[in-house]
């Protein structure tokens, strides 16, 4: 999230951590993304009251995948997020190897998948027009030699 904050300097978007919840009004649900990006002023859910910790207008949502949450993050949570009108890009960050996946919604409603794998890759978030090197995202993380060069290909 720190790298995204730096990349978004001077833009009308702001990065928030896991302490900001997201409301899916159509499903009457609240979710807890690992990170989010909101462009323009945050729109707070009326039920949040004075707490102002539940928003309705994220543009980008970020999840760090773990063995216990990966399946839900990829399916059920993503299904919920797609109900949010302002939501344009979903970012999934792997833990055991350097890999970032993005799903971006286009104006026609279609979704485009892109994967950035390997420590030398640079992830692109098209919804907010920024790039972030995986080397910076994973700074300080030690991977086995085979994991730092690439990540497994889906289906293998």
């Amino acid at each position: 999230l720190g790298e995204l904050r730096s990349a978004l300097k001077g833009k009308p978007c702001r990065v928030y951590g896991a302490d900001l919840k997201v409301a899916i009004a159509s499903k009457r649900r609240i979710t807890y993304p690992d990170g989010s990006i909101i462009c323009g002023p945050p729109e707070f859910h009326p039920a949040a009251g004075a707490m102002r910790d539940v928003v309705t207008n994220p543009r980008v949502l970020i999840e760090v995948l773990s063995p216990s949450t990966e399946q839900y993050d990829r399916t059920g949570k993503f299904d919920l997020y797609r109900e949010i009108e302002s939501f344009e890009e979903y970012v999934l960050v792997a833990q055991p190897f350097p890999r970032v996946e993005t799903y971006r919604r286009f104006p026609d409603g279609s979704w485009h998948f892109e994967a950035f794998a390997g420590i030398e890759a640079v992830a692109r978030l098209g919804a907010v027009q920024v790039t972030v090197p995986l080397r910076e995202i994973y700074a300080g993380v030690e991977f086995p030699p085979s994991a730092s060069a690439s990540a497994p290909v889906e289906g293998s």
Side-chain angles (χ1 to χ4, degrees):
L1 297 179
E3 292 304 316
L4 284 173
R5 279 186 188 92
S6 295
L8 288 168
K9 277 191 176 168
K11 294 183 182 261
C13 303
R14 184 168 171 211
V15 177
Y16 296 87
D19 54 339
L20 187 71
K21 300 176 222 76
V22 173
I24 292 86
S26 63
K27 303 290 187 201
R28 299 178 56 127
R29 299 273 308 267
I30 303 290
T31 63
Y32 297 79
D34 293 320
S36 57
I37 299 174
I38 297 174
C39 298
E43 295 173 9
F44 295 100
H45 191 275
M51 293 294 292
R52 299 176 67 86
D53 64 346
V54 182
V55 296
T56 59
N57 66 323
R59 182 173 295 176
V60 177
L61 292 169
I62 302 157
E63 296 292 351
V64 177
L65 301 174
S66 69
S68 63
T69 65
E70 182 172 1
Q71 185 64 29
Y72 178 59
D73 289 343
R74 289 184 178 281
T75 58
K77 210 170 195 183
F78 189 27
D79 288 344
L80 288 172
Y81 289 158
R82 288 194 303 250
E83 298 284 328
I84 302 169
E85 189 175 317
S86 63
F87 176 56
E88 292 181 22
E89 194 157 18
Y90 195 35
V91 180
L92 300 173
V93 181
Q95 285 190 50
F97 41 80
R99 181 180 172 100
V100 172
E101 299 173 3
T102 63
Y103 294 85
R104 183 166 177 218
R105 179 167 36 200
F106 285 92
D108 68 359
S110 65
W111 288 86
H112 174 76
F113 169 79
E114 199 164 5
F116 308 93
I119 202 68
E120 298 303 323
V122 177
R124 179 178 46 256
L125 279 64
V128 289
Q129 298 298 306
V130 298
T131 58
V132 182
L134 270 62
R135 180 170 298 291
E136 298 300 323
I137 294 171
Y138 292 96
V141 176
E142 292 188 32
F143 298 106
S146 62
S148 63
S150 64
V153 175
E154 287 181 23
S156 61

